Amino acid sequence: MTSLNKKICLLGDAAVGKTSLVRRFVYNLFDDKYLSTIGVKVSRKTVAVPRADGVIELTMMLWDLAGSEEFDRVRSSYLRGAAGAILVCDLTRPETIDSLRVYADSLSRVNPNAQVVILGANKCDLVDRQALDLAPIERVAADLNASYYLVSAKTGHEVDNLFRHLGRLLVT
Ligand code: GDP
Ligand code: MG
């Protein structure tokens, strides 16, 4: 079986739920406390990804970083070598959606070949799906040529699908 190893960066404003999404995907756990990430944390999860020529064993190296001033200092070293990114916004804070363009720009500047991104609009457990205005998310996703998922790290809704979709993109 072919094995691949890919670096994936979690990107998004502070408290949108980056750490929680990784925690849900890797450990299937959730914590209500806000554990501000100190420095960089790398978690890994290996998934079997189907490809035309067989199943690929993909190890996703998930890089997670605090969304504070530290970010500016380590930005390029954090992003270097990334094959892709999960851009995370918080559905209860529309301003976190616009930030995603900035993160995507940084990623493609440091890493012109890492154009594979996917959007996770997190905390869908806190919003009324009927009342939700998806237009801003759809616009950003279209501009970045990316898919988006409405997810909840808290309930686990669509979290697996988000990460696995990125996994499929990274092996093709
Ligand atoms: P980060 O700064 O982007 O890593 O954000 P965290 O993962 O630390 O989450 C910030 C806060 O939002 C924490 O209090 C989490 O418990 C909470 N949180 C994260 N994801 C969700 C979610 O899907 N639903 C709800 N209700 N709260 C969430
Ligand atoms: Mg964090």
Side-chain angles (χ1 to χ4, degrees), residues 50-78:
R51 196 168 72 176
D53 58 346
V55 176
I56 308 294
E57 192 174 72
L58 172 68
T59 298
M60 305 176 88
M61 310 288 294
L62 300 162
W63 288 52
D64 181 27
L65 183 70
S68 65
E69 324 81 78
E70 296 144 61
F71 188 68
D72 288 320
R73 270 184 275 131
V74 292
R75 191 189 291 261
S76 36
S77 54
Y78 177 66

Side-chain angles (χ1 to χ4, degrees), residues 36-118:
S36 116
T37 315
I38 308 294
V40 181
K41 184 168 187 226
V42 183
S43 311
R44 71 191 70 198
K45 180 161 170 160
T46 301
V47 292
V49 185
R51 196 168 72 176
D53 58 346
V55 176
I56 308 294
E57 192 174 72
L58 172 68
T59 298
M60 305 176 88
M61 310 288 294
L62 300 162
W63 288 52
D64 181 27
L65 183 70
S68 65
E69 324 81 78
E70 296 144 61
F71 188 68
D72 288 320
R73 270 184 275 131
V74 292
R75 191 189 291 261
S76 36
S77 54
Y78 177 66
L79 296 172
R80 197 162 299 130
I86 298 178
L87 305 178
V88 184
C89 64
D90 178 341
L91 286 168
T92 68
R93 288 184 293 147
E95 70 278 10
T96 64
I97 299 169
D98 297 317
S99 304
L100 299 184
R101 299 174 196 277
V102 180
Y103 294 109
D105 275 0
S106 308
L107 178 72
S108 51
R109 220 180 0 258
V110 173
N111 243 329
N113 298 322
Q115 302 289 7
V116 179
V117 296
I118 198 156

Side-chain angles (χ1 to χ4, degrees), residues 4 17 22 29 31 34-35 44 54 56 72 82 86-87 92 95 99 103-104 113-114 121 125-126 129 140 150 164:
L4 288 176
V22 171
L29 291 173
D31 200 324
Y34 178 39
L35 307 164
R44 71 191 70 198
I56 308 294
D72 288 320
I86 298 178
L87 305 178
T92 68
E95 70 278 10
S99 304
Y103 294 109
N113 298 322
D125 60 289
L126 294 179
R129 182 70 176 77
V140 175
L150 304 181
R164 283 173 193 279

